[in-house]
Amino acid sequence: MELANRHILLGVTGGVAAYKAAELARELQRHGATVQVVMTEAATRFVTAVTFQALTGRRVFTDQWDSSIPNNMAHIELSRQADAILIAPATADFLAKLAHGRADDLLSTLCLARSCPLLVAPAMNREMWANLATQRNAAQLVEDGVALLGPDSGDQACGETGMGRMLEPQDLVEETVAFFAPKALASRRVLITAGPTFEPIDPVRGITNLSSGKMGFAIARACRHAGADVTLVAGPTTLPTPRGVARIDVTTAQQMFEAVTGSLDLAPRTDAFVAVAAVADWRVSNASTSKLKKTEGGGPPALQFAENPDILASVAARPDAPYCVGFAAESENLEKNGQDKRTRKGVPLLVANIGHATFGRDDNELLIIDAQGTRTLERASKNVLAAQLVALIASRLGAS
Ligand code: C5P
């Protein structure tokens, strides 16, 4: 629950994307936030207050002249209770109001009266977004410290295609989670490997493992939330790329090795390397270029193997080695084997999965092994563990 204990005031203004704000309200709550909706009068022409009331279980405010509020101070009280105000969708007109400090309805008044951060998700036709007046207003808001989320480019409700679409509700939640995350890795560069590798036997067969890539992707996401510049080298997986992360897809261990080395050579400086991928130790050295056929009485094919490079050990041995973190999936003597592996690979920090069958799951339990000894990160979702691990890596980087 990455937004637990966060109270978000969701401001909905009058654009067609207002229908997506209902989904957004739900997603924010699913991540643990409480949501108070305030709508402009124009927004109520697109969706009704009842929709949001039913979804949030809270009364929706629309009117600054609402006489049922005893002291008439809704604009002060609502904004004081919020940890952040998120306007989604934000029309061109509303951006203009915000940029000029207007306060002619409840939502704009409470934005002006706020002491909390303001996040704004523009949504409008591409010409309206491109208009110099809107661009001026958006730039002014950024200068005023408002967080602009999007817009995105793509199909628009008017039938045109271009810049101006509101970010999808899921992306807005991601941006909100990222907004609240401590920026412990600001201006740091992190390289991560994740997922399995696939070593071909022939064009249609190969050797792989059950790694889903979830832990590595969660770490990439958490590093990004912490403000890092993140490159993720991913083996075969169908997971979506975390927002703002540069992804390089590879298939084999050799390709993963080359992508990692290339990335380290090209980058001016990499601060941390987190090797989460379950890399195959061996590849088939006599892989066939055509599909192997079963022949009558021919028996099984004689596969020969060659050792793959150890990516983590080779990065750790570089003279310009970043801070290296290894992962281990041990089935017995976790602590002893983990310490041995840490020393053998020459890395300062090794993270061991506690228990079997963590592959593919959404949760995990980790043992942190370093020169000082060991400590456990209790069972939690991979996203939560990733954030804890990132805080740890950041503190080690800060100390170095
Ligand atoms: O030796 P073992 O495979 O158990 O080590 C696991 C750690 O080493 C993981 O961090 C994994 O990503 C990394 N590794 C690697 N290249 C290999 C084998 C493992 O980077 N060829």
Side-chain angles (χ1 to χ4, degrees):
M1 299 289 249
E2 295 172 295
L3 292 175
N5 302 321
R6 302 287 185 191
H7 183 62
I8 311 278
L9 192 147
L10 176 60
V12 185
T13 72
V16 64
Y19 82 93
K20 292 190 182 174
E23 179 72 25
L24 174 60
R26 215 176 163 74
E27 279 295 302
L28 287 167
Q29 292 177 105
R30 213 170 55 77
H31 284 74
T34 52
V35 177
Q36 170 63 60
V37 174
V38 175
M39 303 172 80
T40 61
E41 198 274 329
T44 64
R45 309 286 178 123
F46 288 93
V47 259
T48 73
V50 177
T51 306
F52 291 106
Q53 192 165 308
L55 289 173
T56 62
R58 282 169 184 264
R59 179 177 164 194
V60 172
F61 293 87
T62 51
D63 182 6
Q64 64 179 335
W65 307 116
D66 190 338
S67 58
S68 69
I69 302 163
N71 62 3
N72 248 316
M73 290 290 165
H75 59 293
I76 305 289
E77 281 168 14
L78 290 172
S79 65
R80 289 291 179 278
Q81 289 155 3
D83 291 306
I85 298 178
L86 168 60
I87 311 288
T91 59
D93 181 56
F94 201 77
L95 292 186
K97 270 192 204 183
L98 287 176
H100 291 89
R102 304 268 321 252
D104 60 357
D105 62 9
L106 179 60
L107 188 56
S108 54
T109 307
L110 64 82
C111 285
L112 203 60
R114 79 183 194 279
S115 51
C116 65
L118 176 59
L119 290 73
V120 167
M124 66 200 74
N125 160 271
R126 66 186 174 92
E127 300 286 12
M128 292 173 85
W129 173 250
N131 190 293
L132 290 181
T134 307
Q135 288 301 305
R136 217 165 35 237
N137 291 334
Q140 183 61 53
L141 289 173
V142 171
E143 196 173 319
D144 294 347
V146 173
L148 220 58
L149 313 182
D152 220 343
S153 86
D155 292 345
Q156 303 208 302
C158 51
E160 298 179 4
T161 305
M163 201 70 171
R165 270 172 68 93
M166 188 173 82
L167 293 187
E168 292 301 328
Q170 243 96 349
D171 294 334
L172 287 174
V173 172
E174 271 297 298
E175 293 288 338
T176 309
V177 171
F179 181 84
F180 284 117
K183 297 292 168 272
L185 290 177
S187 75
R188 300 289 196 177
R189 185 188 297 274
V190 183
L191 180 62
I192 298 164
T193 63
T197 63
F198 179 92
E199 310 296 331
I201 293 173
D202 70 12
V204 295
R205 303 184 181 91
I207 298 168
T208 187
N209 59 66
L210 289 175
S211 168
S212 64
K214 284 181 182 172
M215 193 67 222
F217 275 58
I219 291 171
R221 173 178 178 267
C223 286
R224 178 72 198 135
H225 288 177
D229 180 345
V230 186
T231 301
L232 174 64
V233 181
T237 149
T238 52
L239 294 177
T241 311
R243 269 182 80 72
V245 166
R247 172 174 178 171
I248 304 171
D249 281 316
V250 295
T251 304
T252 65
Q254 188 62 36
Q255 288 167 356
M256 188 173 273
F257 175 74
E258 279 157 23
V260 164
T261 312
S263 178
L264 287 171
D265 290 342
L266 282 177
R269 180 206 77 246
T270 298
D271 297 290
F273 175 57
V274 190
V276 198
V279 187
D281 292 320
W282 304 91
R283 66 177 173 276
V284 180
S285 55
N286 61 341
S288 170
T289 50
S290 55
K291 187 182 168 197
L292 295 175
K293 286 204 182 325
K294 195 164 96 178
T295 51
E296 199 65 34
L303 299 181
Q304 284 159 19
F305 291 90
E307 199 171 341
N308 275 327
D310 189 315
I311 304 168
L312 177 59
S314 83
V315 172
R318 286 169 70 112
D320 62 345
Y323 183 81
C324 287
V325 182
F327 266 70
E330 297 287 336
S331 44
E332 59 223 13
N333 293 334
L334 201 58
E335 202 168 327
K336 166 88 175 60
N337 287 340
Q339 276 295 7
D340 289 352
K341 187 166 292 184
R342 194 183 78 85
T343 324
R344 200 168 58 247
K345 303 231 176 197
V347 300
L349 187 67
L350 192 104
V351 182
N353 293 300
I354 299 178
H356 309 293
T358 60
F359 281 174
R361 290 179 62 128
D362 288 327
D363 63 350
N364 210 352
E365 190 179 2
L366 300 173
L367 188 70
I368 306 288
I369 304 173
D370 64 8
Q372 282 84 51
T374 59
R375 77 184 171 93
T376 306
L377 296 185
E378 300 298 335
R379 180 162 294 284
S381 77
K382 287 182 175 173
N383 280 340
V384 167
L385 289 171
Q388 293 172 358
L389 211 53
V390 164
L392 184 74
I393 294 170
S395 73
R396 299 294 162 88
L397 283 178
S400 64

PDB file of all heavy atoms in Angstrom, residues 143-167:
ATOM      1  N   GLU A 143       7.372  26.571 -12.994  1.00  0.00           N
ATOM      2  CA  GLU A 143       8.242  27.514 -12.268  1.00  0.00           C
ATOM      3  C   GLU A 143       7.718  27.779 -10.856  1.00  0.00           C
ATOM      4  O   GLU A 143       8.491  27.981  -9.912  1.00  0.00           O
ATOM      5  CB  GLU A 143       8.331  28.817 -13.050  1.00  0.00           C
ATOM      6  CG  GLU A 143       9.495  29.652 -12.578  1.00  0.00           C
ATOM      7  CD  GLU A 143       9.704  30.876 -13.457  1.00  0.00           C
ATOM      8  OE1 GLU A 143       9.584  30.726 -14.681  1.00  0.00           O
ATOM      9  OE2 GLU A 143       9.971  31.943 -12.892  1.00  0.00           O
ATOM     10  N   ASP A 144       6.410  27.729 -10.709  1.00  0.00           N
ATOM     11  CA  ASP A 144       5.806  27.957  -9.389  1.00  0.00           C
ATOM     12  C   ASP A 144       5.893  26.716  -8.487  1.00  0.00           C
ATOM     13  O   ASP A 144       5.352  26.709  -7.379  1.00  0.00           O
ATOM     14  CB  ASP A 144       4.326  28.333  -9.543  1.00  0.00           C
ATOM     15  CG  ASP A 144       4.156  29.680 -10.229  1.00  0.00           C
ATOM     16  OD1 ASP A 144       5.161  30.419 -10.351  1.00  0.00           O
ATOM     17  OD2 ASP A 144       3.024  29.987 -10.657  1.00  0.00           O
ATOM     18  N   GLY A 145       6.490  25.639  -9.011  1.00  0.00           N
ATOM     19  CA  GLY A 145       6.663  24.441  -8.186  1.00  0.00           C
ATOM     20  C   GLY A 145       5.523  23.442  -8.289  1.00  0.00           C
ATOM     21  O   GLY A 145       5.439  22.493  -7.494  1.00  0.00           O
ATOM     22  N   VAL A 146       4.651  23.642  -9.281  1.00  0.00           N
ATOM     23  CA  VAL A 146       3.559  22.680  -9.483  1.00  0.00           C
ATOM     24  C   VAL A 146       4.109  21.497 -10.285  1.00  0.00           C
ATOM     25  O   VAL A 146       4.895  21.692 -11.213  1.00  0.00           O
ATOM     26  CB  VAL A 146       2.391  23.353 -10.255  1.00  0.00           C
ATOM     27  CG1 VAL A 146       1.317  22.352 -10.626  1.00  0.00           C
ATOM     28  CG2 VAL A 146       1.822  24.500  -9.427  1.00  0.00           C
ATOM     29  N   ALA A 147       3.722  20.275  -9.920  1.00  0.00           N
ATOM     30  CA  ALA A 147       4.185  19.089 -10.664  1.00  0.00           C
ATOM     31  C   ALA A 147       3.230  18.834 -11.827  1.00  0.00           C
ATOM     32  O   ALA A 147       2.038  18.602 -11.618  1.00  0.00           O
ATOM     33  CB  ALA A 147       4.237  17.883  -9.746  1.00  0.00           C
ATOM     34  N   LEU A 148       3.762  18.902 -13.030  1.00  0.00           N
ATOM     35  CA  LEU A 148       2.948  18.664 -14.224  1.00  0.00           C
ATOM     36  C   LEU A 148       3.062  17.187 -14.588  1.00  0.00           C
ATOM     37  O   LEU A 148       4.166  16.709 -14.875  1.00  0.00           O
ATOM     38  CB  LEU A 148       3.514  19.531 -15.349  1.00  0.00           C
ATOM     39  CG  LEU A 148       2.536  20.214 -16.287  1.00  0.00           C
ATOM     40  CD1 LEU A 148       1.583  21.101 -15.529  1.00  0.00           C
ATOM     41  CD2 LEU A 148       3.298  21.027 -17.323  1.00  0.00           C
ATOM     42  N   LEU A 149       1.989  16.458 -14.586  1.00  0.00           N
ATOM     43  CA  LEU A 149       2.005  15.032 -14.926  1.00  0.00           C
ATOM     44  C   LEU A 149       1.466  14.880 -16.352  1.00  0.00           C
ATOM     45  O   LEU A 149       0.274  15.009 -16.571  1.00  0.00           O
ATOM     46  CB  LEU A 149       1.151  14.233 -13.942  1.00  0.00           C
ATOM     47  CG  LEU A 149       1.345  14.519 -12.441  1.00  0.00           C
ATOM     48  CD1 LEU A 149       0.473  13.608 -11.605  1.00  0.00           C
ATOM     49  CD2 LEU A 149       2.803  14.376 -12.044  1.00  0.00           C
ATOM     50  N   GLY A 150       2.336  14.646 -17.294  1.00  0.00           N
ATOM     51  CA  GLY A 150       1.923  14.558 -18.691  1.00  0.00           C
ATOM     52  C   GLY A 150       1.855  15.953 -19.290  1.00  0.00           C
ATOM     53  O   GLY A 150       2.488  16.864 -18.776  1.00  0.00           O
ATOM     54  N   PRO A 151       1.065  16.144 -20.381  1.00  0.00           N
ATOM     55  CA  PRO A 151       0.181  15.142 -20.967  1.00  0.00           C
ATOM     56  C   PRO A 151       0.936  14.138 -21.826  1.00  0.00           C
ATOM     57  O   PRO A 151       2.134  14.256 -22.025  1.00  0.00           O
ATOM     58  CB  PRO A 151      -0.754  15.997 -21.819  1.00  0.00           C
ATOM     59  CG  PRO A 151       0.081  17.157 -22.250  1.00  0.00           C
ATOM     60  CD  PRO A 151       1.024  17.419 -21.111  1.00  0.00           C
ATOM     61  N   ASP A 152       0.177  13.197 -22.344  1.00  0.00           N
ATOM     62  CA  ASP A 152       0.689  12.152 -23.198  1.00  0.00           C
ATOM     63  C   ASP A 152       0.305  12.467 -24.639  1.00  0.00           C
ATOM     64  O   ASP A 152      -0.534  13.338 -24.870  1.00  0.00           O
ATOM     65  CB  ASP A 152       0.005  10.835 -22.784  1.00  0.00           C
ATOM     66  CG  ASP A 152       0.978   9.680 -22.812  1.00  0.00           C
ATOM     67  OD1 ASP A 152       2.035   9.842 -23.432  1.00  0.00           O
ATOM     68  OD2 ASP A 152       0.665   8.635 -22.215  1.00  0.00           O
ATOM     69  N   SER A 153       0.889  11.730 -25.572  1.00  0.00           N
ATOM     70  CA  SER A 153       0.420  11.919 -26.945  1.00  0.00           C
ATOM     71  C   SER A 153      -0.312  10.651 -27.380  1.00  0.00           C
ATOM     72  O   SER A 153      -0.092   9.575 -26.828  1.00  0.00           O
ATOM     73  CB  SER A 153       1.594  12.250 -27.860  1.00  0.00           C
ATOM     74  OG  SER A 153       2.189  11.094 -28.320  1.00  0.00           O
ATOM     75  N   GLY A 154      -1.205  10.812 -28.349  1.00  0.00           N
ATOM     76  CA  GLY A 154      -1.962   9.651 -28.829  1.00  0.00           C
ATOM     77  C   GLY A 154      -3.324  10.075 -29.348  1.00  0.00           C
ATOM     78  O   GLY A 154      -3.548  11.257 -29.649  1.00  0.00           O
ATOM     79  N   ASP A 155      -4.245   9.116 -29.440  1.00  0.00           N
ATOM     80  CA  ASP A 155      -5.600   9.402 -29.949  1.00  0.00           C
ATOM     81  C   ASP A 155      -6.324  10.340 -28.999  1.00  0.00           C
ATOM     82  O   ASP A 155      -6.216  10.213 -27.791  1.00  0.00           O
ATOM     83  CB  ASP A 155      -6.417   8.100 -30.045  1.00  0.00           C
ATOM     84  CG  ASP A 155      -5.858   7.196 -31.120  1.00  0.00           C
ATOM     85  OD1 ASP A 155      -5.066   7.695 -31.950  1.00  0.00           O
ATOM     86  OD2 ASP A 155      -6.188   5.992 -31.113  1.00  0.00           O
ATOM     87  N   GLN A 156      -7.120  11.232 -29.592  1.00  0.00           N
ATOM     88  CA  GLN A 156      -7.881  12.164 -28.772  1.00  0.00           C
ATOM     89  C   GLN A 156      -9.374  11.983 -29.031  1.00  0.00           C
ATOM     90  O   GLN A 156      -9.776  11.533 -30.105  1.00  0.00           O
ATOM     91  CB  GLN A 156      -7.459  13.594 -29.088  1.00  0.00           C
ATOM     92  CG  GLN A 156      -5.955  13.805 -28.891  1.00  0.00           C
ATOM     93  CD  GLN A 156      -5.608  15.219 -28.541  1.00  0.00           C
ATOM     94  OE1 GLN A 156      -5.919  16.140 -29.282  1.00  0.00           O
ATOM     95  NE2 GLN A 156      -4.961  15.397 -27.403  1.00  0.00           N
ATOM     96  N   ALA A 157     -10.173  12.379 -28.036  1.00  0.00           N
ATOM     97  CA  ALA A 157     -11.621  12.182 -28.140  1.00  0.00           C
ATOM     98  C   ALA A 157     -12.186  12.920 -29.361  1.00  0.00           C
ATOM     99  O   ALA A 157     -13.175  12.488 -29.954  1.00  0.00           O
ATOM    100  CB  ALA A 157     -12.302  12.674 -26.879  1.00  0.00           C
ATOM    101  N   CYS A 158     -11.535  14.007 -29.782  1.00  0.00           N
ATOM    102  CA  CYS A 158     -12.027  14.796 -30.915  1.00  0.00           C
ATOM    103  C   CYS A 158     -11.722  14.123 -32.253  1.00  0.00           C
ATOM    104  O   CYS A 158     -12.090  14.626 -33.300  1.00  0.00           O
ATOM    105  CB  CYS A 158     -11.379  16.173 -30.876  1.00  0.00           C
ATOM    106  SG  CYS A 158      -9.583  16.083 -30.734  1.00  0.00           S
ATOM    107  N   GLY A 159     -11.006  12.988 -32.213  1.00  0.00           N
ATOM    108  CA  GLY A 159     -10.694  12.272 -33.450  1.00  0.00           C
ATOM    109  C   GLY A 159      -9.309  12.589 -33.969  1.00  0.00           C
ATOM    110  O   GLY A 159      -8.843  11.979 -34.918  1.00  0.00           O
ATOM    111  N   GLU A 160      -8.644  13.575 -33.353  1.00  0.00           N
ATOM    112  CA  GLU A 160      -7.290  13.922 -33.797  1.00  0.00           C
ATOM    113  C   GLU A 160      -6.262  13.097 -33.020  1.00  0.00           C
ATOM    114  O   GLU A 160      -6.607  12.406 -32.065  1.00  0.00           O
ATOM    115  CB  GLU A 160      -7.052  15.423 -33.588  1.00  0.00           C
ATOM    116  CG  GLU A 160      -8.014  16.270 -34.414  1.00  0.00           C
ATOM    117  CD  GLU A 160      -7.811  17.767 -34.217  1.00  0.00           C
ATOM    118  OE1 GLU A 160      -6.874  18.158 -33.500  1.00  0.00           O
ATOM    119  OE2 GLU A 160      -8.613  18.527 -34.788  1.00  0.00           O
ATOM    120  N   THR A 161      -5.028  13.185 -33.453  1.00  0.00           N
ATOM    121  CA  THR A 161      -3.952  12.483 -32.748  1.00  0.00           C
ATOM    122  C   THR A 161      -2.861  13.490 -32.418  1.00  0.00           C
ATOM    123  O   THR A 161      -2.503  14.296 -33.264  1.00  0.00           O
ATOM    124  CB  THR A 161      -3.349  11.385 -33.659  1.00  0.00           C
ATOM    125  OG1 THR A 161      -4.423  10.548 -34.081  1.00  0.00           O
ATOM    126  CG2 THR A 161      -2.337  10.532 -32.914  1.00  0.00           C
ATOM    127  N   GLY A 162      -2.369  13.445 -31.217  1.00  0.00           N
ATOM    128  CA  GLY A 162      -1.297  14.372 -30.860  1.00  0.00           C
ATOM    129  C   GLY A 162      -1.137  14.501 -29.367  1.00  0.00           C
ATOM    130  O   GLY A 162      -1.686  13.711 -28.583  1.00  0.00           O
ATOM    131  N   MET A 163      -0.397  15.517 -28.975  1.00  0.00           N
ATOM    132  CA  MET A 163      -0.059  15.758 -27.575  1.00  0.00           C
ATOM    133  C   MET A 163      -1.240  16.419 -26.865  1.00  0.00           C
ATOM    134  O   MET A 163      -1.811  17.376 -27.397  1.00  0.00           O
ATOM    135  CB  MET A 163       1.150  16.701 -27.558  1.00  0.00           C
ATOM    136  CG  MET A 163       1.916  16.684 -26.310  1.00  0.00           C
ATOM    137  SD  MET A 163       2.786  15.120 -26.152  1.00  0.00           S
ATOM    138  CE  MET A 163       3.789  15.499 -24.759  1.00  0.00           C
ATOM    139  N   GLY A 164      -1.587  15.923 -25.704  1.00  0.00           N
ATOM    140  CA  GLY A 164      -2.672  16.569 -24.965  1.00  0.00           C
ATOM    141  C   GLY A 164      -3.530  15.581 -24.192  1.00  0.00           C
ATOM    142  O   GLY A 164      -4.305  15.975 -23.327  1.00  0.00           O
ATOM    143  N   ARG A 165      -3.383  14.292 -24.506  1.00  0.00           N
ATOM    144  CA  ARG A 165      -4.149  13.266 -23.774  1.00  0.00           C
ATOM    145  C   ARG A 165      -3.752  13.245 -22.307  1.00  0.00           C
ATOM    146  O   ARG A 165      -2.567  13.366 -21.985  1.00  0.00           O
ATOM    147  CB  ARG A 165      -3.770  11.879 -24.297  1.00  0.00           C
ATOM    148  CG  ARG A 165      -4.553  11.342 -25.428  1.00  0.00           C
ATOM    149  CD  ARG A 165      -3.864  10.059 -25.881  1.00  0.00           C
ATOM    150  NE  ARG A 165      -3.993   9.009 -24.861  1.00  0.00           N
ATOM    151  CZ  ARG A 165      -4.972   8.100 -24.855  1.00  0.00           C
ATOM    152  NH1 ARG A 165      -5.866   8.105 -25.809  1.00  0.00           N
ATOM    153  NH2 ARG A 165      -5.027   7.192 -23.906  1.00  0.00           N
ATOM    154  N   MET A 166      -4.736  13.003 -21.459  1.00  0.00           N
ATOM    155  CA  MET A 166      -4.399  12.818 -20.046  1.00  0.00           C
ATOM    156  C   MET A 166      -3.651  11.490 -19.890  1.00  0.00           C
ATOM    157  O   MET A 166      -3.944  10.523 -20.602  1.00  0.00           O
ATOM    158  CB  MET A 166      -5.668  12.801 -19.184  1.00  0.00           C
ATOM    159  CG  MET A 166      -5.360  12.805 -17.693  1.00  0.00           C
ATOM    160  SD  MET A 166      -6.829  12.983 -16.664  1.00  0.00           S
ATOM    161  CE  MET A 166      -7.441  11.297 -16.625  1.00  0.00           C
ATOM    162  N   LEU A 167      -2.699  11.432 -18.976  1.00  0.00           N
ATOM    163  CA  LEU A 167      -2.050  10.153 -18.654  1.00  0.00           C
ATOM    164  C   LEU A 167      -3.133   9.182 -18.188  1.00  0.00           C
ATOM    165  O   LEU A 167      -4.120   9.592 -17.593  1.00  0.00           O
ATOM    166  CB  LEU A 167      -1.027  10.317 -17.533  1.00  0.00           C
ATOM    167  CG  LEU A 167       0.231  11.148 -17.799  1.00  0.00           C
ATOM    168  CD1 LEU A 167       1.180  11.031 -16.612  1.00  0.00           C
ATOM    169  CD2 LEU A 167       0.936  10.686 -19.056  1.00  0.00           C
TER     170      LEU A 167
END
